[in-house]
Amino acid sequence: MKIESFSAEDTFAYGRKCGQEAKAGQVFCLYGDLGVGKTVFTQGFAEGLGITEPVSSPTFTIVQVYEEGRLPFYHFDVYRIADPEEMYEVGFDDYIEGDGVCFIEWANLIDDLLPEERTEITIEKDLSKGFDYRLISRKEIQ
């Protein structure tokens, strides 16, 4: 599935829709270059889960846990991870097998650790269509 976003509001709204549809145990992998709107998408996703507290990328803590929504939300940002094995130090397996929703920014950095069943979301810019344009692709991996 591909969605065209023409503003940060569009990206947020699609994130919110994905969050509203998310189910316990799902793993979402988010891909995209710096500045494409991954955090905006994530904030919308969190709102879709019913989370009202501010959501930002947990770049220095690797994982941020939000439990106030309809499902626990485990938000990973692995951009600064030096070795994929570090994921086990933060209890990655427990989160992946937990009753919440895992959301992993920069998931390509830990490819070998990702579960076989996951949802991949890629956000890309296309400046020929405008500065705020984004193409958001969603792919279910089984």
Side-chain angles (χ1 to χ4, degrees):
M1 173 190 304
K2 294 183 186 263
I3 302 291
E4 291 186 301
S5 170
F6 296 93
S7 67
E9 293 79 15
D10 289 349
T11 300
F12 184 94
Y14 184 59
R16 182 177 52 234
K17 181 179 186 296
C18 290
Q20 290 168 338
E21 296 170 352
K23 295 175 179 53
Q26 277 190 293
V27 175
F28 288 82
C29 299
L30 189 57
Y31 303 92
D33 293 334
L34 285 169
V36 296
K38 292 186 301 295
T39 300
V40 171
F41 183 91
T42 302
Q43 291 167 338
F45 191 96
E47 184 176 287
L49 287 172
I51 295 165
T52 58
E53 67 182 282
V55 172
S56 60
S57 289
T59 303
F60 296 102
T61 58
I62 300 177
V63 64
Q64 182 69 43
V65 177
Y66 302 90
E67 295 186 352
E68 69 171 287
R70 66 178 179 82
L71 294 170
F73 180 48
Y74 312 128
H75 179 203
F76 290 86
D77 183 330
V78 298
Y79 182 72
R80 296 197 186 282
I81 201 161
D83 181 349
E85 295 300 313
E86 288 178 50
M87 296 301 289
Y88 295 115
E89 294 172 18
V90 298
F92 185 66
D93 284 343
D94 294 333
Y95 292 114
I96 291 291
E97 297 168 9
D99 59 354
V101 176
C102 284
F103 199 89
I104 307 166
E105 293 188 51
W106 299 99
N108 54 300
L109 298 176
I110 59 165
D111 259 346
D112 293 341
L113 305 179
L114 298 175
E116 288 183 23
E117 192 170 313
R118 62 188 183 267
T119 301
E120 296 185 342
I121 297 180
T122 303
I123 304 175
E124 301 170 286
K125 288 183 183 183
D126 183 346
L127 294 177
S128 71
K129 295 186 177 188
F131 181 76
D132 293 326
Y133 177 87
R134 303 292 186 267
L135 179 63
I136 305 172
S137 305
R138 178 177 173 152
K139 181 178 177 184
E140 304 296 328
I141 307 294
Q142 302 285 328

